[in-house]
Amino acid sequence: MTADLRRDGAEPGVGDGDGGARPASAPPSLPAERAHRPPRSRLRRWLRRGALGCAALLVAGTAASFVYNAVTAGRATPPRGLRYVQAADIRTRYQTWGTAGPPVVLVHGAFESVDTWSRLAPLLARDHRVYALDLTGDGYSERHGPYTVDHFTRQLLGFLDAMHLGGPGERPLLVGHSSGAATVSETALRAPGRLGGVMLLDGDALDTGAGPPPALTYVLIDPYRTTLLRLGLGIDAVIRSVYDAQCGPACPRLDAAGLDQWRRPLRVPGAESALWSMLAAGVPGLPADQVARLAGVRLPKSVVFGAQDDVFTRRTPQETARRIGAPPATLIPGARHLTMISSPEAVATAVDRLTAASIAASR
């Protein structure tokens, strides 16, 4: 019987019937084994595959980022015909308007420049000598950190020296926009006798910690942050959307020259590293108790805000005016955060009022 079974292709102990034997040629039941594989095992397999896919994407993205950064490594040059002066330790770009009248010095905010004042300055020049400078880190002045209120203030005081401002009959009004409000406030605290008055325009001068979340310091690392910055600067719609959100419907639409005005300063040599340093430090400002010391400084002061400025709370303008000992804040209807662009006539009127107060105080 055994011999017959072997001739028939069966093995002992493997067959049908009560013994449970089956033909030797029957394949193992692999599909059944896979079907009964534990769900945790399948999950681990898919997780491994996902991790490998993410790693491959990271490698590819990093390589593409390096290549893009290398291709776009050429830096822009400043426009021709700019004027410079040495202000403290900074080679400082500046511009002037007007030839007669009380002097006014315009101090821009973060990521702005002399050109931010291009609509307001000619109006002021009808009755004032107007000066504006690029603080280090922005515009076309030399990039030379640290990008702090202390350093900006030393640059501004050096600029007053270079322009021969601050003596009898030459005491300027300082107008500080946004974070520039902190710089003019600190200048007034250090050298009140050299000034004719101080205006905080769309700024409270406080070190509120405004700026990007700290986590971005770890997320936005090179080469990715450089790639993202250059890509964003290359898209007109991105620049226009930021401008429109800050400026509002009353502002002129950015044409090619307007786009270049905001874009080019971030493309000159040294601009990117300065930008990352400033973002890491947050918007520059002063402690509240230090700003409050302005209330004891005998200088004419004013606070001017756009009524629709959503960078600050609705309480900020009047709180700021009380803090520094100024008259009630002036609110410009319909204006947002860039009042010198959206509402230059209203800002010029506020400067004229402060000038009148300064002249009266000097008598």
Side-chain angles (χ1 to χ4, degrees):
M1 184 66 173
T2 302
D4 292 341
L5 287 172
R6 287 177 179 173
R7 278 195 300 270
D8 292 337
E11 295 179 359
V14 180
D16 299 324
D18 297 335
R22 64 174 180 266
S25 59
S29 182
L30 292 179
E33 292 176 6
R34 290 195 185 100
H36 291 88
R37 181 171 292 172
R40 186 175 297 176
S41 175
R42 292 198 299 272
L43 178 61
R44 283 198 296 265
R45 185 174 72 252
W46 283 109
L47 287 175
R48 283 196 299 269
R49 290 178 180 177
L52 289 173
C54 290
L57 287 174
L58 180 62
V59 170
T62 302
S65 183
F66 274 116
V67 170
Y68 177 81
N69 293 350
V71 171
T72 59
R75 300 288 77 203
T77 57
R80 294 183 179 181
L82 301 184
R83 300 166 68 185
Y84 290 86
V85 69
Q86 190 69 22
D89 59 343
I90 304 296
R91 183 173 182 264
T92 300
R93 180 257 182 130
Y94 76 100
Q95 190 170 344
T96 62
W97 299 259
T99 58
V104 176
V105 177
L106 307 174
V107 181
H108 64 76
F111 315 122
E112 299 171 3
S113 72
V114 163
D115 300 308
T116 311
W117 304 103
S118 60
R119 300 194 77 201
L120 174 64
L123 298 180
L124 294 176
R126 296 177 299 198
D127 300 300
H128 299 84
R129 286 170 291 138
V130 184
Y131 304 79
L133 73 158
D134 284 346
L135 295 177
T136 183
D138 290 314
Y140 300 107
S141 286
E142 176 187 7
R143 261 74 176 177
H144 180 18
Y147 305 105
T148 61
V149 174
D150 173 70
H151 200 189
F152 298 149
T153 300
R154 286 189 279 119
Q155 182 187 6
L156 178 54
L157 288 169
F159 181 72
L160 298 185
D161 291 337
M163 296 294 105
H164 308 292
L165 297 173
E170 295 293 324
R171 294 187 176 94
L173 299 179
L174 298 186
V175 179
H177 179 253
S178 193
S179 64
T183 300
V184 302
S185 296
E186 180 64 14
T187 302
L189 291 172
R190 294 188 189 184
R194 300 187 61 183
L195 307 180
V198 176
M199 175 182 288
L200 276 54
L201 179 63
D202 302 321
D204 62 3
L206 296 177
D207 58 348
T208 55
L216 287 184
T217 304
Y218 304 98
V219 175
L220 291 182
I221 59 175
D222 268 337
Y224 316 113
R225 68 182 186 184
T226 297
T227 300
L228 290 173
L229 173 63
R230 294 178 183 177
L231 284 171
L233 287 175
I235 302 173
D236 293 352
V238 171
I239 298 176
R240 284 197 173 102
S241 65
V242 175
Y243 169 83
D244 290 343
Q246 295 292 298
C247 209
C251 290
R253 179 174 171 78
L254 289 182
D255 56 12
L259 289 166
D260 185 67
Q261 172 187 312
W262 291 95
R263 174 187 284 142
R264 190 186 298 200
L266 292 169
R267 287 180 163 176
V268 298
E272 290 177 350
S273 60
L275 173 66
W276 304 128
S277 295
M278 289 188 289
L279 286 176
V283 176
L286 300 171
D289 59 347
Q290 190 167 347
V291 176
R293 287 172 50 204
L294 273 179
V297 176
R298 298 188 63 182
L299 276 176
K301 314 172 197 80
S302 67
V303 174
V304 179
F305 271 77
Q308 305 303 318
D309 188 339
D310 59 4
V311 174
F312 299 92
T313 69
R314 292 187 177 273
R315 300 188 304 273
T316 297
Q318 303 305 339
E319 288 176 348
T320 302
R322 287 192 293 270
R323 183 177 293 115
I324 69 172
T330 297
L331 299 180
I332 301 176
R336 296 185 188 175
H337 191 61
L338 295 175
T339 52
M340 67 287 211
I341 299 176
S342 67
S343 312
E345 295 86 357
V347 176
T349 298
V351 172
D352 288 340
R353 284 199 300 266
L354 184 60
T355 299
S358 176
I359 293 172
S362 65
R363 290 173 180 168

